[in-house]
Structures are given as C-alpha cells and as structure tokens.
Amino acid sequence: MDPDVVIPLIPAELSEDPEDPDELDGQPRRRGRFPGQLSALVNAANQRGDIIGAIRKARENLPGDPGFGDPLSVSGPGGVRAVARAADKLVGDSPSAARELGLGALQVWQAMLERVGKGRGSDEITIMFTDLVAFSSWSLAAGDEVTLDLLRRVAKAIEPPIVDRGGQVVKRMGDGVMAVFPSADRAVRAAIAAKENLSAVSVDGYRPQMRLGLHTGSPREIGGDWLGIDVNIAARVMEAGGNGNTMLSGATLDALKSETLEELGLGVKPYRRSFFAAPLSGVPEDLRIFRLEAE
C-alpha cells in the first residue's frame, strides 16, 4: 500500500449496517445508517405539532384563503381545487408539516388566479334566486312523476335565458335555482325572459308561478358556491316576492343602466311589507327592495 495514501476513518455508526444488505454487481454490499437517520429526523419533524402550528400561522399572512384545504374550499371545479383533492387522497388528511406547506402553495396559486379573474374574488356580481309559489302543496297532491315532469319543463324555460345572458346556474334547490351574473342589466333581462318562458308552461292544468329576487354585491366564491351576507340578502329579496313578483334590491336598481328598464318597458315600485307579513330576517335594516312592474 502506498504510504502517502490517506484512508479516512468513518465512525462505525455511520459507516456500515450489518443488518441492511444490498446488491452491487451480484455481491452483497453494506449501506450506511446516515440516510435512514436523516429520513427519521424528517419524518419526526413532519409530525411535530409546533412546526405544523407555525406553518399554519404563517399561512394567515399569505395571499388567499388561509382555510384552503378543507372540504368547503376544495369542492367544485377548478385546477387548484382538483390538485388539492388529489393531494389529499395521496397524503391523507392527517396533520403534517408537508401537507400544510403544500396547501400554502395551493392557497397562493388560487389567490393569483383570483387576481387575474379566473378564480373569483370580491368582484361585484348580481345574484338571482327563484322559487315556485305554493309548489310543495301542489307536488304533494300531484305525485312524483308529474312533479318531475313539471320541474324539467321549468328548468327548460328558465335556465337557457340565464346562460344566454352570461349568467351561471350555481345550484338547483328543488323548485328553485341560484344564479350569478356579471352585471345587474344582464340579470334583469334574464329574469324577464325566464318569466316569459315560464308563462307557457302547464302540467295537468297547473301553471306554475315564480317569484324572483335580485341583489348586487360582492360575495365570496368558495368551492363552486357563493357565500356571504349578499347571498342571504338575495334570498330574502326573493322571499319578498309573494305570489310571483320580481324583486330588486336597492343595490341592483342602482347598478342598472338608465336605459335598461325603459327598453324592457318596466318600472319599479318600492316594496312595503304588509302588516301581517313576517319581517325579513338576516338583512340590513336599511335594505331597500323594489318590485318590477310593467309600465
């Protein structure tokens, strides 16, 4: 052996593991323990509650929804949500630092999409709610088959005008729908067209009447649904429609172009709750509601 060659001394605990053989060129080879120890340290850190808590705290300062990753925020369409759902299936929903880091990255991604208009943020939209008057009592007597026939005809009557005018049907709720529009003018035009179509629907002599409410605000889109006080207001505005009226909130009326109602031959009349009607709950005290009427 050359005396000038220096052979480094490696501690036994980091050099060989007699219980961890491997194959190299057909010959047994021994591996060091260091990679296994590093993996163990990483796994331990990944499960530490203080590290997980620190990352969750840091996510509160990141752009987007710090609660991103729960079932509410990752349901519905969208690339970010689809990635989050796939990742959840792979790594599970157990708390871990790696999971929080991944959700933090997806949270920022979703926020970036919202800023360029692909994920929705706090943009102003107009919300529509519809409901068939006295539908429950009629369907109870009509039976399931006839009721289903009616609902299909109603959907064919009211949903195409919504889509044709740039609206999106968010969800169907039995005999009603919730939809959103990029402008109040489109929503009003869709409402009038939908009710005109509905007037031609008849099943076994029953002609459905639909009340409809519109409100303009800035709700939050989460998981393909829209949430917030403005959604509640829109639903209450619809409830004020009584036996088939079309109702607008003051915010929607203010957002309308001046020529829209004139082109449609419509006017508005302030809504006043009757003495025996229950007050609307969950709405601001200064909420203004108007009824659309033909001039």
Side-chain angles (χ1 to χ4, degrees), residues 185 188-189 192 248 253 256-268 292-295:
D185 301 274
V188 169
R189 293 181 185 277
I192 299 306
L248 311 177
L253 183 60
L256 283 173
K257 296 178 181 178
S258 57
E259 65 269 20
T260 298
L261 294 182
E262 182 178 353
E263 292 175 1
L264 294 172
L266 298 172
V268 294
L292 276 182
E293 294 184 340
E295 288 190 333

Side-chain angles (χ1 to χ4, degrees), residues 175-286:
D175 58 320
V177 301
M178 173 189 174
V180 293
F181 295 83
S183 72
D185 301 274
R186 289 173 179 263
V188 169
R189 293 181 185 277
I192 299 306
K195 296 198 74 170
E196 288 178 354
N197 288 352
L198 187 66
S199 65
V201 174
S202 176
V203 175
D204 287 355
Y206 173 72
R207 306 182 71 89
Q209 298 294 314
M210 180 175 72
R211 55 179 168 235
L212 188 151
L214 299 173
H215 173 64
T216 302
S218 300
R220 174 78 177 179
E221 186 190 22
I222 300 180
D225 199 357
W226 294 83
L227 306 174
I229 183 61
D230 287 312
V231 176
N232 296 336
I233 293 175
R236 299 297 178 265
V237 171
M238 180 268 294
E239 289 179 4
N243 293 325
N245 294 308
T246 300
M247 314 299 287
L248 311 177
S249 71
T252 297
L253 183 60
D254 293 341
L256 283 173
K257 296 178 181 178
S258 57
E259 65 269 20
T260 298
L261 294 182
E262 182 178 353
E263 292 175 1
L264 294 172
L266 298 172
V268 294
K269 183 177 181 180
Y271 163 76
R272 290 182 174 83
R273 182 173 60 88
S274 68
F275 180 79
F276 297 101
L280 300 177
S281 60
V283 299
E285 293 183 0
D286 59 349

Side-chain angles (χ1 to χ4, degrees), residues 56-176:
R56 285 178 178 170
K57 187 68 177 177
R59 284 183 60 192
E60 296 178 2
N61 297 319
L62 293 176
D65 177 14
F68 186 85
D70 65 352
L72 185 65
S73 63
V74 301
S75 62
V80 181
R81 300 186 183 105
V83 171
R85 291 194 296 269
D88 192 60
K89 290 182 179 179
L90 291 174
V91 302
D93 57 0
S94 299
S96 70
R99 183 175 187 273
E100 292 299 324
L101 287 172
L103 291 176
L106 293 172
Q107 168 187 333
V108 175
W109 182 12
Q110 176 71 6
M112 292 175 64
L113 290 178
E114 289 180 354
R115 289 182 179 179
V116 298
K118 294 183 179 180
R120 299 286 184 178
S122 57
D123 297 338
E124 184 175 85
I125 64 168
T126 297
I127 309 157
M128 170 191 287
F129 274 94
T130 72
D131 178 58
L132 297 183
V133 178
F135 171 79
S136 298
S137 57
W138 172 84
S139 62
L140 185 63
D144 292 344
E145 185 174 349
V146 176
T147 296
L148 182 58
D149 182 30
L150 174 75
L151 292 177
R152 284 174 171 162
R153 296 190 188 191
V154 170
K156 290 179 180 179
I158 70 173
E159 293 190 18
I162 293 173
V163 176
D164 292 345
R165 289 156 182 79
Q168 173 193 351
V169 175
V170 177
K171 54 188 172 183
R172 300 169 182 85
M173 302 165 291
D175 58 320

